[in-house]
Amino acid sequence: MGGASLLRLVSAALLALAAGMVAESAVPPPPLPVLPIPNAAQLAWQRREVIMFFHFGMNTFTDSEWGTGAEPPSLFAPAALNASQWMDAAEAAGASLAILVAKHHDGFCLWPSAYTAHSVRASPWRGDLVRDFTDAARARGVDPGLYLSPWDRHDARYGRETEYNEYYLAQLRELLAGYGSVSEIWFDGAKGKNETNMTYHFQEWFQTVRQLQGAINIFSDAGPDVRWVGDEQGSAGTTCWSTVNRSSITIGAEGIEKYINEGDPRGTDWVPPECDVSIRPGWFWHRNETAKPLSQLLRIYYNSVGRNCVLLLNAPPNTTGLVEDADIARLREFRAAVTRIFGTDLAKGSAARASSERGAGFGAGNVLDGSDDTYWAAATAEEDGLKNGYWIELRLRPAASAARPFNVVRIQEHVALGQRVERHEVYVDGVAVATGTTVGHKRLHRLARPVAGRTVKVWFAARRGVPLVSAVGLHLDPYATDVM
Ligand SMILES: *[C@@H]1O[C@H](CO)[C@@H](O)[C@H](O)[C@H]1NC(C)=O
Ligand SMILES: *[C@@H]1O[C@H](CO)[C@@H](O)[C@H](O)[C@H]1NC(C)=O
Ligand SMILES: *[C@@H]1O[C@H](CO)[C@@H](O)[C@H](O)[C@H]1NC(C)=O
Ligand SMILES: *[C@@H]1O[C@H](CO)[C@@H](O)[C@H](O)[C@H]1NC(C)=O
Ligand SMILES: *[C@@H]1O[C@H](CO)[C@@H](O)[C@H](O)[C@H]1NC(C)=O
Ligand SMILES: *[C@@H]1O[C@H](CO)[C@@H](O)[C@H](O)[C@H]1NC(C)=O
């Protein structure tokens, strides 16, 4: 028997032994979730991170933000409306979902609704923008969403509770039964302070939406699926929970802003926040306005996506019916900057270790594999946490550490099993560089200046249950000259 075949025999025996051992020590199951947890549609929505809004309608032609409802349909006359060109903007921003304002407060409908004469049907344009928009979106791989303003300053039924709610529901049915699958429906609680009193039948509306679109996300101040963040500047609280008590939020009420901006660590409903903000000063196009500078859009990104939110960016088409080239260029610049910052992870290739590990499949190294589905899980035993605390440490590659400073720390929780982290601290070679409260789907710390070191340690000082961390990343943001 030659040396080579002996070696083969021995290795075969070792393999058999190893296989036997694996069979006996099967991998541990995932830990129990900490309730509440997201449903499938909410999880998919969260991972979109940036989505688009298109405000276009009567206001575009009257140079206003809130129409009165008295505008004649003849004013709606875009010379070269092209919804497909709007998708150039969505694509430039890297958005996978785009929401159209199908009707704003002035009541003018951008589809030929059977229930009113106040629509595109009576305009010189005569098309169906909801059809054009949903077709154009799908053709570009973008999921469509719609906004139907509850407040209607045109319709005479507004203020007559049953009649108007029936009218509104009939229009919801037109939108959600007639244009294929719709991924998000947007409701706001806007109402003129000194205008006709009107009680909106949100429960009837929400249940009708569910009946017509099973996988849709319903947005309002209080969800049920996605909540307003409480401002129109694109800024979530530095503490931002995906959880709230829906029963504590009255849609459209004043004084709810702080609660929905920060969420509720004891909240029993999973209703993560969405940050709506326009790339221009107004929601609608005005000749005298231009897009915000890149630095401001990046700050918005850090304050929204970087605080556990989805960013809903509005790009208003002009009176021609096109998004201005300059706005599309700004969106492209924005996406290029995000890619430049986050396309390179300086933590890649590090060695990860942690205070404890749950076992095979839940190792510390999972935070470096670029997947939201794998995660480091600490051991569940309480005594383990009491003894060691909960932390994860990256030992950077020697070549990377000295040469490549970073000024952004990215931390992500595996929120499919609940949002857990209440307080955390980040240390570079033992020196604290960032502290924060919640993490959620994604937390970005933009440091005051670039740092370099051999180890980066994230300490989870307070949490609900054991932390489940899907990513720790380190990035260099070359645009960070005016850090928050
Ligand atoms: C509409 O926009 C799309 C995308 O930019 C473009 O390919 C198409 O040629 C435009 N259609 C017209 C009629 O200009
Ligand atoms: C509110 O409405 C009343 C009655 O219609 C009117 O007299 C008053 O001027 C309005 N106030 C404002 C601030 O618009
Ligand atoms: C509006 O109507 C609701 C329900 O009928 C009522 O409870 C509320 O007090 C009214 N608000 C005003 C300002 O009149
Ligand atoms: C939310 O509900 C939970 C459970 O009932 C409760 O403990 C918590 O105090 C509530 N939050 C607020 C702000 O009321
Ligand atoms: C631009 O014009 C609109 C309408 O005339 C006005 O409401 C808005 O404040 C103006 N925007 C700026 C930035 O001056
Ligand atoms: C609207 O934007 C398009 C694309 O930049 C441009 O060609 C057109 O002139 C603009 N229309 C107005 C009224 O500014």
Side-chain angles (χ1 to χ4, degrees):
M1 192 181 261
S5 45
L6 180 65
L7 195 67
R8 225 174 290 134
L9 243 178
V10 170
S11 39
L14 281 175
L15 268 178
L17 193 68
M21 278 163 57
V22 167
E24 259 165 44
S25 59
V27 298
L32 283 174
V34 170
L35 297 179
I37 57 172
N39 65 30
Q42 289 172 318
L43 256 188
W45 166 90
Q46 185 93 54
R47 291 179 181 184
R48 295 179 187 274
E49 297 195 347
V50 176
I51 60 179
M52 291 289 298
F53 218 165
F54 290 99
H55 275 69
F56 179 74
M58 199 51 91
N59 294 337
T60 311
F61 298 90
T62 58
D63 198 21
S64 58
E65 288 282 304
W66 277 14
T68 62
E71 302 83 5
S74 60
L75 291 179
F76 185 87
L81 198 159
N82 180 357
S84 190
Q85 189 263 3
W86 301 11
M87 296 308 146
D88 294 348
E91 205 167 86
S96 63
L97 186 157
I99 301 175
L100 171 71
V101 172
K103 177 182 93 166
H104 203 250
H105 311 328
D106 55 69
F108 182 74
C109 301
L110 300 189
W111 79 103
S113 172
Y115 301 98
T116 179
H118 198 56
S119 81
V120 280
R121 205 206 319 253
S123 79
W125 183 67
R126 283 199 188 82
D128 180 345
L129 189 47
V130 174
R131 178 77 58 209
D132 288 1
F133 182 87
T134 52
D135 285 351
R138 291 191 195 103
R140 300 287 279 275
V142 173
D143 294 325
L146 296 169
Y147 162 46
L148 181 66
S149 168
W151 187 23
D152 188 323
R153 304 179 82 181
H154 174 84
D155 201 88
R157 286 162 283 197
Y158 190 84
R160 301 210 282 269
E161 194 172 324
T162 303
E163 266 185 87
Y164 180 74
N165 276 289
E166 285 174 352
Y167 170 63
Y168 187 88
L169 258 179
Q171 294 204 318
L172 256 188
R173 285 196 193 94
E174 285 184 313
L175 294 176
L176 298 181
Y179 297 90
S181 123
V182 175
S183 296
E184 184 165 334
I185 182 87
W186 227 77
F187 296 101
D188 60 15
K191 224 181 250 191
K193 275 206 178 59
N194 195 24
E195 305 213 10
T196 316
N197 190 14
M198 179 70 217
T199 302
Y200 301 140
H201 286 202
F202 283 112
Q203 289 322 310
E204 284 87 334
W205 301 356
F206 294 167
Q207 291 194 31
T208 301
V209 171
R210 287 266 190 265
Q211 189 180 72
L212 299 171
Q213 297 274 343
I216 201 167
N217 280 308
I218 302 177
F219 170 104
S220 83
D221 292 353
D225 301 314
V226 176
R227 75 176 195 260
W228 185 42
V229 77
D231 64 53
E232 293 185 340
Q233 279 74 55
S235 185
T238 51
T239 293
C240 189
W241 291 96
S242 293
T243 49
V244 291
N245 292 333
R246 290 192 57 220
S247 58
S248 301
I249 309 167
T250 303
I251 300 174
E254 279 178 37
I256 59 172
E257 293 83 356
K258 187 174 191 302
Y259 185 68
I260 59 180
N261 192 244
E262 297 182 350
D264 185 341
R266 308 277 161 257
T268 55
D269 303 300
W270 186 273
V271 192
E274 182 169 290
C275 301
D276 57 320
V277 62
S278 185
I279 63 165
R280 285 163 164 251
W283 289 101
F284 287 88
W285 180 83
H286 305 288
R287 190 180 298 279
N288 59 341
E289 296 183 348
T290 56
K292 291 168 181 165
L294 175 64
S295 59
Q296 198 176 343
L297 294 181
L298 282 176
R299 207 173 310 127
I300 288 169
Y301 180 86
Y302 280 101
N303 292 346
S304 55
V305 176
R307 293 180 183 166
N308 188 36
C309 296
V310 166
L311 171 57
L312 174 57
L313 267 183
N314 175 66
N318 63 22
T319 51
T320 308
L322 299 170
V323 179
E324 283 197 7
D325 291 337
D327 290 14
I328 296 180
R330 181 55 44 78
L331 290 168
R332 196 167 285 124
E333 204 184 346
F334 165 70
R335 176 48 61 181
V338 169
T339 302
R340 182 162 171 207
I341 299 165
F342 296 100
T344 303
D345 183 358
L346 299 169
K348 207 169 176 206
S350 320
R353 61 190 193 105
S355 48
S356 69
E357 287 178 358
R358 184 175 176 82
F362 301 97
N366 284 349
V367 304
L368 297 168
D369 69 1
S371 164
D372 288 352
D373 296 316
T374 62
Y375 51 92
W376 160 61
T380 311
E382 193 59 38
E383 54 275 20
D384 208 87
L386 289 174
K387 192 163 123 238
N388 303 316
Y390 295 97
W391 53 261
I392 189 159
E393 185 182 77
L394 308 181
R395 195 164 289 276
L396 303 179
R397 282 173 304 157
S401 57
R404 310 191 68 181
F406 55 88
N407 57 1
V408 177
V409 179
R410 172 175 53 91
I411 311 171
Q412 298 187 236
E413 280 187 82
H414 183 68
V415 292
L417 294 178
Q419 189 179 346
R420 298 164 178 242
V421 177
E422 295 174 317
R423 208 169 66 245
H424 66 283
E425 295 153 10
V426 183
Y427 296 87
V428 175
D429 289 346
V431 178
V433 297
T435 62
T437 52
T438 49
V439 172
H441 169 69
K442 184 172 282 187
R443 181 67 191 261
L444 299 173
H445 289 289
R446 211 181 193 186
L447 310 181
R449 65 191 67 80
V451 294
R454 274 169 300 128
T455 62
V456 174
K457 186 170 189 171
V458 185
W459 184 269
F460 299 98
R463 75 271 125 214
R464 305 159 68 221
V466 296
L468 308 179
V469 181
S470 68
V472 177
L474 306 173
H475 306 275
L476 181 64
D477 177 349
Y479 310 90
T481 47
D482 58 340
V483 168
M484 303 154 289

